[in-house]
Amino acid sequence: MTQETTTVVLRPKKIRRVAWACAAGLIVVFTVVGLLLGDTPTGVIFRTSDQVAMIVLGFLLAGGVLLLARPRVTADAEGIDVRNVVTSHHFAWKDVLSVSFPDGAAWARLELPDDEYISVMAVQAVDREYAVTSVRSLRELHKTARS
């Protein structure tokens, strides 16, 4: 008989929509500004390379904004993978003391030994009910793995 494993994958909801909208807006604005740079009554001469650079800058800024949509948590009976904006961590459940969401915090966190913790940016307070159910599912996996 095989035991069915449950894998939980969590991603932030609202910040992903906001990040994609901002990224699209940046691309549109910088592209329009880049295309309009050639015609200025000020006497300043903008070349094609300046226009292209402006458009490329818009794409680079959009890419930076999209980093906010990167956080993800993947958890199963064995452990938890936490990918935040820049860093990624893997922990076995035996190394995690608890999953918490302190009052006033922007996101959940994993409590580790020696008073350390790792932020779980995929579970954000602005997602309200989704954050509550996400923390509950992580706590259930943690409880099951530790017993």
Side-chain angles (χ1 to χ4, degrees):
M1 185 177 351
T2 61
Q3 184 179 2
E4 193 174 316
T5 60
T6 302
T7 300
V8 175
V9 178
L10 306 170
R11 301 197 70 176
K13 299 286 185 190
K14 288 184 182 177
I15 193 66
R16 288 178 66 204
R17 289 191 300 264
V18 170
W20 279 101
C22 287
L26 283 168
I27 289 171
V28 168
V29 167
F30 275 79
T31 299
V32 168
V33 169
L35 294 174
L36 296 177
L37 274 180
D39 298 331
T40 61
T42 62
V44 177
I45 300 171
F46 290 102
R47 300 203 167 125
T48 304
S49 61
D50 298 319
Q51 293 174 304
V52 171
M54 184 64 73
I55 295 168
V56 169
L57 182 61
F59 276 92
L60 290 174
L61 290 173
V65 168
L66 287 177
L67 285 175
L68 297 174
R70 187 174 185 265
R72 183 179 71 200
V73 168
T74 306
D76 57 20
E78 302 300 316
I80 184 169
D81 291 310
V82 178
R83 182 176 75 184
N84 288 329
V85 173
V86 178
T87 61
S88 294
H89 302 279
H90 173 78
F91 299 100
W93 282 121
K94 65 180 178 66
D95 298 328
V96 177
L97 298 177
S98 66
V99 178
S100 66
F101 208 128
D103 287 338
W107 40 74
R109 65 187 193 181
L110 300 178
E111 304 289 340
L112 305 172
D114 299 326
D115 293 327
E116 293 183 21
Y117 66 89
I118 295 294
S119 296
V120 180
M121 297 177 78
V123 181
Q124 299 186 358
V126 297
D127 290 331
R128 300 189 185 274
E129 191 60 37
Y130 176 75
V132 171
T133 57
S134 298
V135 168
R136 285 182 181 154
S137 64
L138 290 176
R139 285 178 178 163
E140 188 63 35
L141 279 172
H142 180 251
K143 179 182 170 186
T144 303
R146 301 256 320 191
S147 49

